[in-house]
Amino acid sequence: MKTIVVPIDFSKESIYALDFAVDTAKIKKTKIVLIHIIEIPNHTSSSETGEVTTFVSQEEQTYTVLLIEKTKERFAELCEDEKYKGTEIEYIITMGTFVKTFIKQAKELNADIIIMGTSGARGMSEIFIGSNSEKVVRHSPCPVITIREPMQSTIKNIVFASDFKNITDDLVRQLLNIQRMFHAYLHLVKVNTPAHFNPYSKDMSDIEWFIGKYNIKKYTKTIYNDFTEEEGIKHFAFQIGADIVALGTRQHTGVIHLLSESIAENVVNHSFVPVWTYKIE
């Protein structure tokens, strides 16, 4: 691991993400790149020939210059904090729409992992609050850890929830990388629901196949019953005192489970336990 990327807006959640990124960087001697994106409204006009022109007013340009200078001051103050001393931290200030611009920057930096804060979602606010973290999870070129609360510096227990089908070697490689980094236990869980129930022997056979194929070490294996996959993942993680939940995602179908869409995005939005996700093609 060479580069950790953290989107930062100076909210408490983004600082939680930075704090954990620093703890992680100390383990692997990794560089951290902070990205702050200023979203500036554009105005458009059409000419008689139908050409569309995008422009920013003089007042908005002046405001943007002042905002950039103020943001630089905040970064300088942040990087002076004693708890970040000894860690290589760089920052980028750029403009654009958040998700598109951030994903572009992460790709250009060849990010090994993204660690980002999320304020989660409640009811109608989910439309606005949860959308950025969901979209980053869905489109990220590398693993993403989303954090809502201050996180322990050491990860001891990782819950990996899956149907244990359609697993890719790349997903497992990324998962085992984080397990080895923290010398953590991997708690393998398949959630059964009333709507999609499988025999215990069949589900356990799938998990044991996964363990054997990838030579998994330091693990537990569980079949967990609950009303929904999301609730089962959260309840199981709480019961075992998980430090983080790991999920494989697909760009359009959520967690690796053909029976329910957007499970990963929902867990990211509502879990108080940090969530590690990795998109498979």
Side-chain angles (χ1 to χ4, degrees):
M1 182 182 294
K2 296 180 180 179
T3 306
I4 300 172
V5 173
V6 180
I8 191 159
D9 59 3
F10 303 99
S11 65
K12 63 180 181 179
E13 291 84 6
S14 68
I15 299 301
Y16 297 155
L18 172 57
D19 289 346
F20 180 66
V22 169
D23 290 336
T24 304
K26 289 176 180 177
I27 296 173
K28 300 292 288 186
K29 302 296 182 183
T30 305
K31 176 177 71 175
I32 297 173
V33 181
L34 308 178
I35 299 179
H36 181 83
I37 298 170
I38 299 172
E39 297 195 69
I40 301 299
N42 291 325
H43 307 283
T44 59
S45 63
S46 299
S47 67
E48 293 181 357
T49 60
E51 295 178 344
V52 177
T53 303
T54 301
F55 64 94
V56 178
S57 69
Q58 182 63 48
E59 292 81 3
E60 287 167 338
Q61 291 181 35
T62 301
Y63 172 75
T64 300
V65 171
L66 293 174
L67 187 57
I68 290 173
E69 290 305 312
K70 181 63 177 178
T71 303
K72 287 180 179 179
E73 291 175 8
R74 296 185 75 178
F75 270 122
E77 182 180 346
L78 182 70
C79 293
E80 285 297 313
D81 194 309
E82 284 295 324
K83 64 184 176 181
Y84 305 138
K85 291 296 177 71
T87 304
E88 183 181 358
I89 300 177
E90 301 175 1
Y91 67 84
I92 295 171
I93 302 171
T94 187
M95 291 177 287
T97 56
F98 176 79
V99 175
K100 182 177 180 181
T101 305
F102 178 74
I103 292 298
K104 180 175 181 290
Q105 288 283 346
K107 289 179 178 178
E108 290 177 355
L109 290 165
N110 291 316
D112 294 293
I113 193 166
I114 292 167
I115 301 177
M116 68 182 297
T118 177
S119 53
R122 290 291 184 273
M124 285 300 293
S125 64
E126 182 169 348
I127 296 172
F128 306 101
I129 299 174
S131 59
N132 280 343
S133 56
E134 286 183 14
K135 289 174 183 176
V136 170
V137 164
R138 199 175 299 134
H139 299 290
S140 172
C142 63
V144 179
I145 294 178
T146 51
I147 297 173
R148 292 181 63 183
E149 301 287 339
M151 190 170 175
Q152 296 291 332
S153 59
T154 300
I155 294 174
K156 297 179 180 178
N157 294 290
I158 302 171
V159 168
F160 178 54
S162 176
D163 64 1
F164 298 93
K165 304 171 185 175
N166 309 306
I167 300 286
T168 66
D169 294 345
D170 194 34
L171 168 64
V172 178
R173 177 178 60 82
Q174 294 284 358
L175 177 65
L176 296 184
N177 280 345
I178 190 170
Q179 182 195 19
R180 285 191 291 264
M181 183 189 305
F182 292 99
H183 307 286
Y185 262 88
L186 195 60
H187 300 273
L188 310 173
V189 61
K190 163 67 168 63
V191 177
N192 258 333
T193 67
H196 305 295
F197 191 83
N198 293 316
Y200 177 92
S201 59
K202 173 64 172 64
D203 284 339
M204 189 56 69
S205 176
D206 290 338
I207 295 178
E208 288 173 349
W209 167 84
F210 172 82
I211 293 168
K213 178 175 180 180
Y214 294 106
N215 193 28
I216 306 297
K217 305 292 186 183
K218 295 181 64 176
Y219 66 87
T220 66
K221 51 186 179 179
T222 303
I223 309 300
Y224 194 88
N225 298 326
D226 214 318
F227 290 106
T228 68
E229 288 91 344
E230 296 95 329
E231 289 301 307
I233 292 167
K234 289 186 290 182
H235 291 160
F236 177 73
F238 177 79
Q239 286 181 14
I240 70 161
D243 299 301
I244 195 165
V245 171
L247 302 168
T249 70
R250 291 187 185 278
Q251 183 165 333
H252 300 294
T253 58
V255 74
I256 305 175
H257 195 301
L258 303 180
L259 304 175
S260 180
E261 294 186 352
S262 301
I263 295 174
E265 288 86 347
N266 288 335
V267 174
V268 165
N269 262 345
H270 299 101
S271 174
F272 280 95
V273 177
V275 181
W276 177 98
T277 54
Y278 183 64
K279 182 188 72 177
I280 62 174
E281 302 299 334

